[in-house]
Amino acid sequence: QEGDAVARLAAWLEGTRTLEGRFEQVLLDERGREVQRSAGTVAILRPGRFRWDYVEPARQLIVADGERLWFYDAALEQVTVRPLDEALGSAPSRLLSGAATLADGFRAEAAGRREGLAWVRLEPRDGSDDFARLEVGLGAEGIEVMVLVDGFGQRTRFRFSQVQRNRGLDPGLFRFEPPPGVDVVGAEAQ
Amino acid sequence: CQSLPPVPEAARERAWRGHAARLAALEAWTLVGRMTAQADGRSLSASLRWHHGVGGDAIVLTAPLGGGALRIELDAAGVRLVASDGGERRAADAAALLAAELGVAVPVEALRYWVVGLPQPGAAARRELDREGRLRRLRQGGWEVEYRGYEAAGPWILPRVLFARGGEAEVRIAVERWRPGEAG
């Protein structure tokens, strides 16, 4: 029953065209102490499009429109933009947005049960990635928790809730229009 | 609305001296927030964690969705830059190393003072004070720092958002939480 957690994750990802829900994101330092907590809504249209809309503690928006990755920070009044492939280093977006299928992007192995979830550990196939491993917690409805462990031992933990899968999604969600009066910075900005 | 009576310059200067003296006595602090840095088309957005203590500073930048972390350590000997893949670089001149590695010449030794609302000691500075005698604008070392709000953290009043511009480069910091008195 262990091994099929990997198969279940692969099937769930393959069968996911769109995803919408709420997320909570917590950054834990190398000693496991909470550094930062944020929350908002996430929408994903595979392949290659996603939108992380942060409302707590501050307004931020991360949009992948299929070609470029936009970061908007309201307090900093700035938008940074970069080509999507260069920016997709971070695993959550790569795994969820379908830029790489599970098998060719990661080495996957089942990692037992805890917190009522079946866990899968994913290690990046190409060493250039900037994270050590990704741990994915599968519940009845699919991915509920994702923990990204980086080279310093920091953990970025995502918890998803109220997830709706394969529902119609407004494609406009994945087009980014810089708000008026905000600086846009980045190679692709012109 | 009824406009506030102007605060005479002498009163602002007095308030500034008291404010600056209290800040100078703050030997250790930790800040958590967000930062963007950009220079001629290259940009960086990161979650920012900065630990300052008597021995020096440890700054950790983490990519917005996790992964991609960078650690900058500053002490009397200079700067050490450690990437999350373990790669490490060391230099005496922090700004030059950061320019080479991040593409943005972040004046981190000066930023360590600007971020708490002080000019870097020992370097000429021109300052503009707000009504409470705190920095509104600071010109130092070819950079201009603009303070866009303060907040109380314990007995200290510390910046919430600051924009620093130096020639082509710019660094913007939004602080989510100050922990004065805690180095790490």
Side-chain angles (χ1 to χ4, degrees), chain B residues 4-176:
Chain B
L4 296 168
V7 174
E9 198 44 38
R12 291 181 195 221
E13 280 296 327
R14 251 196 328 281
W16 159 253
R17 275 195 297 280
H19 176 67
R22 270 192 305 281
L23 280 178
L26 182 57
E27 277 184 354
W29 47 264
T30 289
L31 86 80
V32 170
R34 304 183 309 284
M35 177 180 125
T36 60
Q38 49 104 353
D40 48 61
R42 290 193 55 178
S43 67
L44 157 89
S45 292
S47 151
L48 170 67
R49 173 162 53 111
W50 193 323
H51 302 290
H52 173 72
V54 177
D57 295 68
I59 303 165
V60 182
L61 300 175
T62 308
L65 287 170
L70 187 70
R71 195 180 164 85
I72 303 167
E73 283 165 6
L74 262 178
D75 57 28
V79 64
R80 192 166 81 105
L81 207 64
V82 185
S84 54
D85 60 10
E88 184 182 311
R89 284 160 198 64
R90 190 180 281 282
D93 178 346
L97 180 62
L98 291 173
E101 291 304 317
L102 304 181
V104 185
V106 181
V108 62
E109 286 105 336
L111 196 54
R112 166 254 169 279
Y113 292 97
W114 298 346
V115 81
V116 295
L118 284 175
Q120 183 177 18
R126 279 213 327 275
R127 40 183 173 72
E128 191 190 310
L129 300 177
D130 66 14
R131 297 177 53 80
E132 285 80 20
R134 295 182 293 254
L135 287 180
R136 172 183 288 136
R137 206 178 292 276
L138 171 68
R139 280 188 189 77
Q140 189 171 41
W143 283 69
E144 177 179 316
V145 185
E146 187 192 341
Y147 290 87
R148 303 164 74 100
Y150 285 84
E151 65 183 34
W156 285 281
I157 304 291
L158 293 160
R160 220 168 24 79
V161 176
L162 57 136
F163 290 6
R165 266 180 295 276
E168 279 305 302
E170 183 161 12
V171 175
R172 296 185 178 188
I173 292 177
V175 180
E176 289 168 18

Side-chain angles (χ1 to χ4, degrees), chain A residues 58-139:
Chain A
R59 242 336 256 103
Q60 284 176 93
L61 188 57
I62 303 176
V63 174
D65 63 10
E67 280 162 55
R68 288 174 299 185
L69 189 61
W70 303 82
F71 289 95
Y72 167 53
D73 190 308
L76 298 179
E77 294 171 23
Q78 197 165 51
V79 170
T80 55
V81 56
R82 49 173 55 178
L84 191 54
D85 43 21
E86 178 199 308
L88 262 194
S90 99
S93 34
R94 205 143 59 89
L95 185 71
L96 292 173
S97 74
T101 61
L102 191 63
D104 60 33
F106 306 92
R107 266 191 311 279
E109 59 179 18
R113 286 190 70 81
R114 52 182 161 74
E115 296 170 50
L117 302 173
W119 289 83
V120 176
R121 177 178 303 121
L122 302 170
E123 278 157 5
R125 279 210 187 284
D126 68 28
S128 70
D129 264 302
D130 39 31
F131 67 98
R133 69 178 181 282
L134 187 59
E135 291 162 359
V136 178
L138 280 172

Side-chain angles (χ1 to χ4, degrees), chain A residues 11-13 15-20 141 163-167:
Chain A
W12 188 82
L13 286 169
T16 300
R17 265 188 355 283
T18 73
L19 201 68
E20 256 181 304
E141 301 302 314
V163 173
Q164 294 178 313
R165 189 165 165 253
N166 293 338
R167 295 280 175 73

